[in-house]
Amino acid sequence: MPALFNSITNLEPKSREDSISSYRLDSLLDSCADTYQLSQADMQKIRYYLLSHQLKLECFGEPEDANAVIVFSFGASECVNKVLAAVVDDIVYHQPKVNVFAQQEISSHLGHIRHTPIISSDYQSTEDVARYASNSQCLDKVMIVAQAWHADRCVTVCQALNIDVVGLRVVDYFPENDPQKWVRSPINWIIKESFREEATGFEISKRFDFT
C-alpha cells in the first residue's frame, strides 16, 4: 500500500481536505490506477470516499457498560476472525453475563462462550448481522467487536437500527489470502467501500482484478 495511505488513515475526515493537497491525493490514486485499472471517474469516486469517511476507528467504552456484544466477522478465513473471537473472550472474562451475538465465521471460534450464532447459508452483509441482533429482546447497551477498517460501518448500521452503541473493540489486521479478496489489503478495502452501493464485494473484486 502506498505510504501516503498511512497518513490519510490517521486523520479525521474533516481535516483531510485541509491536510492533504489535491496534488498529493491525486498522485496517490495515480500510483494505483494502472494496477487496478482505475478510470478518472473511478479515481474521483475513491477520492471522495477517502475525504468523507472515517477509514478506521479506535477502541472506546468499557465492557461493564454493555449488556450485549455484537461481533462482526472480517472475511471468510480464520485469520482475523480468530483474533476477533479472542477479543470477545476477553470481554466475557470481565463481563460474564453479557449476551454475545456472533456472525457465523466467528461463532466456531468462541468455544465455551455462551452466545447466539448468526448463521445463514447465504452471504451475510453487515446490515444482515446487525438486523438479526436488533430483533433480540436482550439487546440494550451494546459493545461492537469488529475489524478496525470495518468498524465505522458496523457502528453506523447499528445506530441506524436504534441500537445503543456504548463501546467498541477493534483489531487492525487484513487476512492476505482470504477468499473474499476485498478484505486482503487496505487498498482493496477502500476501493470496495467506495463502490459498495453499486455492486457486491465479489463483483467489485472481479471488476478491479483484486489480488
Side-chain angles (χ1 to χ4, degrees):
M1 179 181 68
L4 183 54
F5 268 119
N6 293 326
S7 63
I8 292 173
T9 59
N10 292 322
L11 296 172
E12 293 293 329
K14 63 184 179 182
S15 68
R16 287 189 192 127
E17 198 157 12
D18 295 332
S19 302
I20 305 169
S21 69
S22 293
Y23 174 78
R24 290 178 68 208
L25 186 52
D26 289 342
S27 295
L28 166 65
L29 294 174
D30 284 341
S31 71
C32 300
D34 289 340
T35 302
Y36 292 91
Q37 299 296 302
L38 301 175
S39 68
Q40 287 298 316
D42 293 336
M43 289 193 289
Q44 193 63 24
K45 185 176 285 290
I46 296 167
R47 186 179 193 276
Y48 174 79
Y49 177 80
L50 287 169
L51 292 173
S52 61
H53 287 75
Q54 183 70 37
L55 299 185
K56 62 179 180 178
L57 298 186
E58 302 294 335
C59 299
F60 66 84
E62 299 300 330
E64 56 265 29
D65 295 330
N67 79 327
V69 173
I70 305 175
V71 52
F72 295 85
S73 69
F74 194 70
S77 64
E78 292 186 345
C79 180
V80 175
N81 291 325
K82 289 180 73 172
V83 182
L84 289 166
V87 173
V88 176
D89 194 21
D90 184 66
I91 292 172
V92 173
Y93 177 81
H94 292 93
Q95 188 77 343
K97 294 183 179 180
V98 72
N99 296 292
V100 177
F101 297 84
Q103 194 167 350
Q104 59 190 8
E105 292 86 354
I106 305 286
S107 181
S108 61
H109 303 299
L110 289 177
H112 66 284
I113 295 176
R114 178 181 57 83
H115 68 282
T116 300
I118 304 175
I119 298 173
S120 173
S121 58
D122 299 319
Y123 172 78
Q124 292 178 306
S125 68
T126 304
E127 291 82 357
D128 294 334
V129 175
R131 193 171 299 280
Y132 181 96
S134 71
N135 290 328
S136 171
Q137 296 299 314
C138 60
L139 204 67
D140 184 12
K141 297 184 181 299
V142 171
M143 174 162 283
I144 289 174
V145 178
Q147 200 269 4
W149 295 61
H150 184 206
D152 184 56
R153 183 145 57 83
C154 295
V155 171
T156 300
V157 166
C158 285
Q159 290 174 335
L161 292 169
N162 296 317
I163 296 172
D164 185 10
V165 179
V166 299
L168 173 70
R169 291 294 181 270
V170 300
V171 298
D172 193 358
Y173 302 109
F174 286 85
E176 294 182 359
N177 298 310
D178 199 277
Q180 295 178 3
K181 294 183 179 181
W182 61 92
V183 303
R184 290 182 178 181
S185 70
I187 182 59
N188 283 12
W189 178 257
I190 287 170
I191 293 173
K192 181 261 185 182
E193 287 295 285
S194 299
F195 292 87
R196 64 176 300 273
E197 294 183 359
E198 300 178 10
T200 68
F202 297 102
E203 292 167 340
I204 294 167
S205 297
K206 184 176 181 179
R207 172 179 171 183
F208 294 106
D209 195 22
F210 286 169
T211 58

